[in-house]
């Protein structure tokens, strides 16, 4: 059996005058983390089984971790997590998938408005849309040049690098590979930071300024950073850039990390304990945004806007106000398309 995937037979392959198949429309593949297909224990189990089996996500010896995963995590966690997904599920499906697809569609429209012949696809690193299928769809559309864009402004091995791995793993099985580029991070990109600033200012114009603004980034084990992961630095670069945009109001901004999993120490300070401490100290109003997520999802809607809200108010806080992710905001979609167009330079 061939190690390479079967290709569709091209009757013009031996014709030296045939058009170059690598000079068709440009391809852009947006890649987000992933989501269950439904808010059910069975769907969550399938998703977690794939996600938590990635050695980029859990850096334990596979033989040991798979025993723990199969005997303990996947037998208990899906039933506990599925109701949380059900609380945030939209009529159109998973919030992460809905908002990501809307952003992909808006980016595609903006790129067309720029006069670019571009096809934009969406993939999830785990679950559906399947990354390999999305790549093949772009190739079937004639895209011989593809820009892969992991949807994480801050680089982490467990998010960005595993998306890069998956793209390269699939292309390694192709006989005719497309030309490939990656947009691997943009923590201080002007368009991205401006979009965050617009979201904060629009919220404050409507609701007034808070006592404190907390930026909650997804957590990461401290050991990963000690081994060379740049994520912690990227997060603080984003925070510094937004603080500078806020001017005198930048003193209200603080940083914390959420979604800790397991017993090992993760990046600190932790989000929920920080909010509880503030509540006990008498901090009245807190605004919270999650700039590491481009699309709202379980971690922002349930963990933050529900769980952390309750914890802060129970600890004595007066008002907790969640600022949604950028999602498919029209101005952000246009700016994101401009960033993508910059990374297509030389191909257009």
């Amino acid at each position: 059996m061939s190690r390479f995937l079967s290709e569709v037979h091209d009757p013009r392959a031996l014709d030296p005058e045939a058009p170059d198949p690598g000079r068709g429309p440009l391809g852009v593949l947006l890649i987000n983390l992933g989501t269950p297909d439904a808010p059910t224990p069975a769907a969550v189990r399938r998703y977690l089984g794939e996600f938590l089996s990635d050695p980029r996500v859990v850096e334990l010896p596979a033989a040991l971790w798979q025993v723990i995963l199969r005997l303990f995590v996947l037998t208990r966690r899906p039933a506990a997590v599925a109701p949380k997904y059900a609380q945030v599920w939209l009529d159109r499906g998973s919030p992460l998938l809905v908002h990501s697809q809307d952003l992909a569609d808006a980016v595609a429209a903006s790129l067309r408005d720029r006069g670019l012949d571009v096809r934009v696809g969406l993939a999830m690193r785990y679950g559906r849309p399947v990354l390999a299928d999305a790549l093949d769809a772009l190739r079937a559309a004639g895209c011989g040049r593809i820009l892969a864009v992991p949807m994480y402004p801050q680089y982490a091995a467990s998010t960005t690098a595993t998306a890069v791995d998956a793209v390269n793993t699939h292309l390694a099985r192709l006989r005719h590979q497309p030309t490939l580029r990656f947009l691997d991070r943009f923590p201080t990109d002007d368009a991205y930071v401006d979009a965050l600033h617009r979201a904060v200012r629009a919220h404050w114009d409507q609701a007034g300024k808070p006592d404190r603004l907390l930026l909650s980034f997804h957590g990461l084990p401290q050991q990963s950073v000690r081994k060379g992961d740049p994520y912690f630095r990227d997060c603080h670069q984003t925070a510094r850039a937004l603080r500078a945009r806020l001017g005198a109001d930048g003193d209200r901004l603080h940083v914390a990390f959420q979604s800790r999993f397991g017993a090992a120490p993760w990046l600190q300070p932790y989000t929920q304990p920080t909010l509880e401490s503030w509540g006990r100290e008498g901090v009245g109003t807190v605004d919270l945004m999650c700039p590491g997520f481009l699309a709202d999802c379980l971690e922002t809607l349930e963990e933050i806007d529900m769980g952390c809200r309750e914890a802060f108010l129970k600890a004595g806080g007066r008002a907790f106000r969640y600022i949604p992710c950028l999602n498919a905001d029209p101005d952000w979609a246009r700016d994101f398309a401009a960033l993508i167009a910059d990374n297509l330079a030389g191909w257009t």
Side-chain angles (χ1 to χ4, degrees):
M1 181 180 297
S2 173
R3 59 174 292 198
F4 301 110
L5 296 174
S6 298
E7 302 281 355
V8 176
H9 176 65
D10 183 357
R12 300 177 299 174
L14 297 178
D15 179 0
E17 304 302 324
D20 182 354
R23 305 302 297 181
L26 303 179
V28 174
L29 182 63
L30 302 182
I31 307 169
N32 216 328
L33 188 76
T35 176
D37 292 327
T40 64
V44 172
R45 185 176 298 108
R46 287 192 298 272
Y47 167 69
L48 290 180
E50 182 182 5
F51 172 49
L52 296 177
S53 292
D54 187 338
R56 289 277 198 185
V57 174
V58 180
E59 296 186 41
L60 290 175
L64 169 64
W65 172 240
Q66 283 298 316
V67 171
I68 298 171
L69 178 64
R70 303 296 166 181
L71 293 183
F72 300 100
V73 178
L74 294 183
T75 57
R76 302 173 184 176
R77 191 164 178 80
V81 173
K84 297 181 180 181
Y85 275 105
Q87 286 182 290
V88 302
W89 211 257
L90 303 175
D91 291 342
R92 292 169 54 198
S94 162
L96 179 72
L97 179 57
V98 169
H99 294 308
S100 297
Q101 186 62 64
D102 287 347
L103 178 57
D105 292 343
V107 165
S110 184
L111 290 171
R112 288 195 298 269
D113 290 343
R114 289 171 166 265
L116 299 177
D117 185 13
V118 178
R119 306 293 183 271
V120 177
L122 174 68
M124 296 293 164
R125 174 61 184 88
Y126 316 100
R128 296 187 291 185
V130 176
L131 190 148
D133 293 346
L135 277 171
D136 288 343
L138 290 176
R139 295 174 57 243
C143 300
R145 294 162 293 174
I146 297 174
L147 172 68
V149 185
M151 297 172 70
Y152 318 110
Q154 299 79 25
Y155 182 103
S158 56
T159 54
T160 309
T162 189
V164 172
D165 289 347
V167 170
N168 286 321
T169 295
H170 182 62
L171 296 190
R173 301 187 64 198
L174 301 181
R175 195 173 297 276
H176 185 184
Q177 297 174 328
T179 302
L180 187 64
R181 290 179 182 173
F182 291 96
L183 172 54
D184 69 347
R185 53 149 65 81
F186 44 97
T188 59
D189 177 77
D190 286 341
Y192 163 65
V193 178
D194 284 346
L196 298 176
H197 181 236
R198 283 196 305 269
V200 172
R201 288 296 182 190
H203 173 72
W204 289 356
D205 287 345
Q206 180 180 30
K209 296 177 183 179
D211 296 312
R212 294 181 185 175
L213 168 65
L214 183 62
L215 304 188
S216 180
F217 294 91
H218 198 286
L220 200 68
Q222 290 183 7
Q223 187 65 18
S224 297
V225 176
R226 292 195 181 97
K227 290 180 178 179
D229 199 299
Y231 179 73
F232 186 70
R233 182 186 65 234
D234 279 7
C235 292
H236 279 280
Q237 286 181 345
T238 296
R240 283 195 296 270
L242 180 56
R243 186 178 288 116
R245 290 289 202 286
L246 291 170
D249 290 319
D251 290 342
R252 302 174 191 270
L253 188 150
H254 301 260
V255 172
F257 296 88
Q258 66 186 83
S259 307
R260 178 186 176 191
F261 179 78
W266 281 41
L267 296 178
Q268 296 180 32
Y270 301 132
T271 296
Q272 183 167 319
T274 295
L275 290 167
E276 291 170 337
S277 176
W278 288 357
R280 290 190 296 269
E281 292 170 8
V283 177
T285 301
V286 168
D287 286 350
L288 191 149
M289 70 186 313
C290 299
F293 298 87
L294 290 187
D296 274 309
C297 55
L298 182 74
E299 286 79 4
T300 66
L301 298 173
E302 193 278 332
E303 180 182 356
I304 295 297
D305 198 22
M306 295 180 183
C308 285
R309 173 190 299 276
E310 180 181 1
F312 176 66
L313 297 179
K314 186 176 180 180
R318 184 177 67 253
F320 178 95
R321 307 182 309 197
Y322 172 65
I323 301 174
C325 292
L326 297 176
N327 293 320
D329 172 79
D331 290 335
W332 160 241
R334 184 168 55 250
D335 290 344
F336 195 25
L339 173 61
I340 288 170
D342 288 345
N343 282 268
L344 295 171
W347 282 352
T348 57

